[in-house]
Amino acid sequence: MFVLLSEILPPVLNNTNMAGVSTLTAPGSLQEFFCYADGVPFPSITWTKDGEEFDVSNMSGVEITEEGQRLTIRRVLERDAGFYECVVENRGGMVKANSTLDILMGKECFLIIVEVVDSSSLAIICISWKNF
C-alpha cells in the first residue's frame, strides 16, 4: 500500500491592490479589490468589511469572482465606505491584506480630476469653492 503525501505550501499573495492603502472614490463609480494568491492546497479567500464577513448574496451590483480573489462593487454607495480585508488561508497558514475605502461625500465639487496612478488605482481630486 502506497500513500501519496502532498506537500503543503502556505498561502502567498502574488498580487493585490490592498497593501494597507486608503482609497477615495466618488459615489456611483466602480471599485475593485483583488488578492491573487497561491498555495498548496489552493487557499480559501474570505472577504471582510469592518471586521465582519462580507456577504454579497443579497447585494445587487456586488460580486466576488475569480475563485474568490476579486471583490467588485459596480456602483459605489456611501454605505460601502469602510475597512476591507481579504483573508487567505489553507492548512499551511494565513495571510491578510487590507484597504480602507472612503467615499467622496458632502463636498460641493465643481470639478473632479481623475488621474490614473497605475493599472489598479486612481487619484481623485475634488476642487470646490471651499478650497478658495
Side-chain angles (χ1 to χ4, degrees):
M1 181 172 154
F2 294 97
V3 176
L4 181 61
L5 297 176
S6 178
E7 183 178 8
I8 295 176
L9 299 174
V12 292
L13 285 172
N14 295 324
N15 190 11
T16 185
N17 64 347
M18 301 180 68
V21 298
S22 184
T23 302
L24 177 65
T25 193
S29 64
L30 172 77
Q31 178 63 46
E32 293 184 297
F33 294 115
F34 56 86
C35 287
Y36 292 111
D38 278 320
V40 176
F42 189 79
S44 65
I45 300 173
T46 305
W47 292 90
T48 65
K49 179 180 176 244
D50 299 326
E52 301 291 324
E53 190 165 337
F54 196 64
D55 180 16
V56 300
S57 60
N58 293 322
M59 299 181 74
S60 176
V62 180
E63 60 186 2
I64 296 175
T65 57
E66 299 182 34
E67 298 182 64
Q69 298 177 102
R70 181 177 291 271
L71 170 63
T72 303
I73 304 171
R74 298 251 174 245
R75 289 180 43 90
V76 170
L77 302 173
E78 187 173 5
R79 71 170 186 230
D80 295 319
F83 181 77
Y84 289 81
E85 188 169 53
C86 68
V87 180
V88 182
E89 61 185 319
N90 69 7
R91 292 185 305 224
M94 173 179 30
V95 291
K96 297 179 180 182
N98 63 65
S99 182
T100 300
L101 180 62
D102 294 311
I103 312 301
L104 186 64
M105 296 298 292
K107 302 226 185 239
E108 297 171 8
C109 297
F110 67 86
L111 176 63
I112 296 178
I113 301 169
V114 179
E115 176 184 349
V116 176
V117 176
D118 59 39
S119 63
S120 64
S121 61
L122 299 172
I124 300 175
I125 302 167
C126 168
I127 307 297
S128 80
W129 292 115
K130 295 177 185 178
N131 292 347
F132 298 101

